[in-house]
Amino acid sequence: MSQEIKKLPAESFERVQLDSSHAERISKPSLSFWQDAWLRIRKNKAAIVSMFILAFIIIMAFVGPMVSPHDAETQTLKHANLPPKVPGLENLGIFDGVGNLAGKEVDLYEMKKVDTYYWFGTDGLGRDMFSRVWEGTQISLLIAFAAALIDMVIGVAYGGISGYYGGRVDDILQRIVEILYGIPTLVVVILMLLFMEPGITAIIIAITLTGWIGMSRIVRGQVLKFKNQEFVLASRTLGATNSRIITKHILPNIMGIIIINTMFTIPSAIFFEAFLSFIGLGLQAPNASLGTLINDGYKLIQFQPHILLYPSLILSLLMIAFNLLGDGLRDAFDPKMKD
């Protein structure tokens, strides 16, 4: 046996040494949690498309009123109830300014001698719908993002304190949450709006009065899960303060859950604002939001469907895109979904 080993060429030993060095090589570079989550969310086509849709709508909400040749508040009764007309597309038979008048298809722009274009048409007071739709989208997004941010701050602080300190503090805070949770949200909002002047501030406060409860419960559950983990106990043994444990150990581990819940809070706030404005408890004229525009449009759906079409379409796209993006983030931040 020893003689056979001696007869082996030196190349065989070099190959063995080379193979052992390759076996110890790391095949993939180490990735942080956020890098790994980004790589996984890129594989979710629905989430990526939703990101582009949201980016387009948000950009147009601020740029749209500036690129429009007409102001959102200017009333021109002579131009009232005009259908959409877009340069270039009118030659294709679409967006050509043709509307229904007494059962006949006529060019309302020629009949009213209008020498300008309204890309989304006009409303009953002759205001440009293109500018009003994007300004309404801007206000709805402002209310939704502000409400979601306040919900996140209050919910994270409330749930974190309740879950981390536990004991009597947790009992008292959770009884308060149970009382608030038992009151219907719509009742709280209506009572608040009765004591406050209708406007953006009143709607934000009304939405955030009970909107933070869901976030606080989720954060409390996550804090209860992590506060007894070995790395937290080790940090406490080494003399770390409560604030350092919360900010350096617990909060980074629950940040993914916070982001996901916030992404689902935004479309809920958008829809709730639209609902309040639709039933007359939200913004008042002449201010515009997606809810007020839909409220104006549904009354004329048989005669001027374009007034209802565009705000409803944007509201639907916002709801779908935010929910799909939230689903994608949930899958990306879930370690169980790794390939």
Side-chain angles (χ1 to χ4, degrees), residues 150-287:
I150 296 173
D151 286 350
M152 182 182 67
V153 172
I154 297 177
V156 170
Y158 194 96
I161 293 172
S162 179
Y164 185 78
Y165 290 99
R168 182 171 296 180
V169 174
D170 186 37
D171 291 337
I172 295 174
L173 294 181
Q174 290 308 303
R175 298 299 81 77
I176 297 174
V177 167
E178 290 174 0
I179 293 173
L180 293 176
Y181 194 75
I183 304 175
T185 304
L186 188 58
V187 173
V188 177
V189 171
I190 291 175
L191 291 176
M192 278 298 304
L193 293 176
L194 288 177
F195 291 100
M196 298 182 65
E197 183 179 353
I200 296 177
T201 304
I203 294 177
I204 293 175
I205 295 175
I207 293 175
T208 55
L209 275 176
T210 56
W212 56 269
I213 294 177
M215 176 71 79
S216 70
R217 286 187 162 188
I218 293 174
V219 171
R220 174 180 176 269
Q222 292 296 312
V223 171
L224 288 173
K225 172 184 174 182
F226 283 105
K227 76 173 186 177
N228 292 322
Q229 295 288 331
E230 289 80 0
F231 64 92
V232 175
L233 296 177
S235 180
R236 185 180 291 114
T237 303
L238 293 173
T241 61
N242 290 331
S243 60
R244 180 173 178 81
I245 292 175
I246 293 173
T247 56
K248 297 296 183 180
H249 298 290
I250 296 180
L251 193 59
N253 282 283
I254 65 175
M255 188 57 66
I257 299 296
I258 294 173
I259 294 174
I260 294 169
N261 197 65
T262 303
M263 291 304 299
F264 286 114
T265 302
I266 293 174
S268 300
I270 292 175
F271 181 79
F272 198 63
E273 180 278 325
F275 170 73
L276 290 177
S277 299
F278 181 78
I279 63 177
L281 295 176
L283 294 178
Q284 304 297 318
N287 295 323

Side-chain angles (χ1 to χ4, degrees), residues 57-67 134-135 138 141-142:
I57 293 177
I58 292 173
I59 291 173
M60 286 302 300
F62 293 92
V63 176
M66 293 188 292
V67 300
W134 292 121
E135 284 194 3
Q138 184 182 132
L141 288 173
L142 172 64

